[in-house]
Amino acid sequence: MQYVNTWRAVAAATGASDRSAAEEGVRLAYRGAGLPEPERVLWADSPKAAVEVVEKLAGAGRSVREDVRTRPWARERRRVYDELGPAGWSTLWSATGAQLWDTTAALADRIRTGVVAELATVPEDESAVRLVLLDAVLGQHDAAWLAAFDGRGERLTGLAQVARNAGWWWPYEHAVVISERPVALHRDEAGRLDRADGPALAYRDGFALHAWRGMPVPPEFLDGLPSLTPERIRAEENAELRRVMLESYGYDRYLAESGAEPVHRDETGVLWRIALQGDEDVTMVEVVNSTPEPDGTHRTYWLRVPPRIRTAKEGVAWTFGLDGAAYAPLRQT
């Protein structure tokens, strides 16, 4: 677990890179691959800027990513796999790299998508940008698989040192391009990019990604969230953006202010439904906590349930993983 927590921090690190430490890691990786050290090391403020540097790079030679990253990793994985056996390897991966894989892989994919979107202004440019991105070693975002091998040998020392101290990097025969780490990273409890009042991921040169609970959104979209109205929400044609608006505005507030009518009442609560053009209905159960607050009042809760729900009791039961007929609490709390 100590390695997982260490590498989780590496993957989420922001702020200026330790350039001297990162460059020493690059040299270690080259020497470990049996290659001469690169003659030039160039720095860029973001992966986007690094791609632009690579595209203009002259005399760099061929990409050596296969030599410094892919082959050493494959050999080390084979060594550990042979040492531990299939079950042992599975246990090791589950306890280390698997803990970080989903969030780091998703973040790397989002960065690639953002770089392509900004640099491939016409469709003909997209393949060229993607080819450059294929040459990248992901640095700090290789944290998942580096966590699995930490403390198990020195073959990956150079790669790990770069990852601890910098962002993505591009290794070529005679030159290396290294990206700075982001200056800001905002995620929700599930590890998804998430910020309502600015970029969820930002680099020092202005390259940024905006997202709400993992969903990409335009920067100007977030600016309008504080001034939302039910009318503006209904007018949004993009169903995914409308869901973001509803989450920001609050489903209960939206129902209260949009003239929604209750469709069912029973002893468990009130079922509300409002239709949205081009999307599923917003269906919620209003329930009152039977346990009073310290001031004697009873708090009201709104529970979103699937549109198929037809009664309040069925909706409350669904939140407990039951059907309506099976839901019969002995005591409400």
Side-chain angles (χ1 to χ4, degrees):
M1 182 59 73
Q2 101 186 61
Y3 295 133
V4 173
N5 291 335
T6 296
W7 285 102
R8 180 177 286 113
V10 168
T14 57
S17 300
D18 185 333
R19 294 193 173 192
S20 62
E23 291 178 16
E24 177 56 29
V26 167
R27 289 190 286 269
L28 281 172
Y30 271 64
R31 292 198 299 267
L35 298 172
E37 294 179 9
E39 300 155 17
R40 292 176 289 158
V41 176
L42 300 91
W43 282 83
D45 286 341
S46 71
K48 173 200 165 191
V51 169
E52 293 177 302
V53 171
V54 169
E55 288 178 326
K56 299 172 183 175
L57 204 56
R62 67 177 178 87
S63 169
V64 293
R65 182 185 188 276
E66 189 82 7
D67 304 82
V68 301
R69 195 270 194 190
T70 306
R71 287 198 192 101
W73 174 82
R75 288 195 295 266
E76 193 67 3
R77 183 185 184 281
R78 171 51 59 186
R79 182 186 68 81
V80 175
Y81 185 90
D82 290 344
E83 175 187 313
L84 300 178
W89 165 255
S90 178
T91 299
L92 173 65
W93 178 251
S94 296
T96 55
Q99 305 293 316
L100 308 177
W101 181 261
D102 288 344
T103 53
T104 53
L107 182 56
D109 284 343
R110 287 293 310 280
I111 292 171
R112 290 189 194 96
T113 300
V115 170
V116 171
E118 291 214 12
L119 294 182
T121 53
V122 294
E124 297 76 39
D125 295 339
E126 184 172 327
S127 60
V129 174
R130 291 191 182 278
L131 283 173
V132 174
L133 288 167
L134 286 175
D135 287 340
V137 180
L138 300 188
Q140 67 181 124
H141 298 141
D142 271 334
W145 66 268
L146 287 168
F149 299 102
D150 202 344
R152 308 193 71 87
E154 299 183 355
R155 182 173 283 162
L156 306 178
T157 299
L159 292 169
Q161 182 162 328
V162 183
R164 290 190 181 99
N165 294 286
W168 296 17
W169 55 290
W170 282 255
Y172 296 93
E173 283 183 291
H174 309 299
V176 171
V177 178
I178 311 177
S179 168
E180 283 283 349
R181 296 183 295 204
V183 295
L185 173 64
H186 300 269
R187 296 189 288 193
D188 64 10
E189 63 281 356
R192 302 171 299 184
L193 289 177
D194 179 49
R195 190 181 178 191
D197 58 352
L201 179 74
Y203 286 85
R204 60 196 291 177
D205 63 351
F207 174 63
L209 301 176
H210 294 76
W212 173 276
R213 297 184 183 176
M215 195 186 90
V217 295
E220 61 275 9
F221 173 83
L222 295 175
D223 295 338
L225 291 182
S227 58
L228 282 175
T229 63
E231 294 73 24
R232 171 69 186 92
I233 294 171
R234 283 195 293 272
E236 175 56 55
E237 296 181 357
N238 184 306
E240 290 187 335
L241 293 182
R242 191 163 58 223
R243 290 193 191 101
V244 173
M245 290 177 168
L246 283 166
E247 289 183 2
S248 176
Y249 196 73
Y251 289 103
D252 53 346
R253 181 183 172 195
Y254 179 77
L255 288 168
E257 296 181 8
S258 61
E261 294 290 336
V263 296
H264 182 265
R265 297 175 185 268
D266 59 29
E267 72 280 4
T268 63
V270 182
L271 183 69
W272 298 80
R273 188 188 314 277
I274 190 162
L276 293 173
Q277 185 176 358
D279 200 0
E280 64 180 21
D281 294 350
V282 173
T283 309
M284 303 192 77
V285 180
E286 177 187 359
V287 297
V288 177
N289 189 355
S290 60
T291 303
E293 300 293 313
D295 62 1
T297 61
H298 292 264
R299 187 173 179 182
T300 299
Y301 291 90
W302 298 78
L303 311 173
R304 189 169 188 193
V305 297
R308 61 178 171 78
I309 298 298
R310 292 292 177 264
T311 69
K313 183 178 180 181
E314 183 186 359
V316 174
W318 178 85
T319 67
F320 290 98
L322 303 171
D323 60 32
Y327 179 67
L330 297 177
R331 183 171 66 92
Q332 288 186 314
T333 60

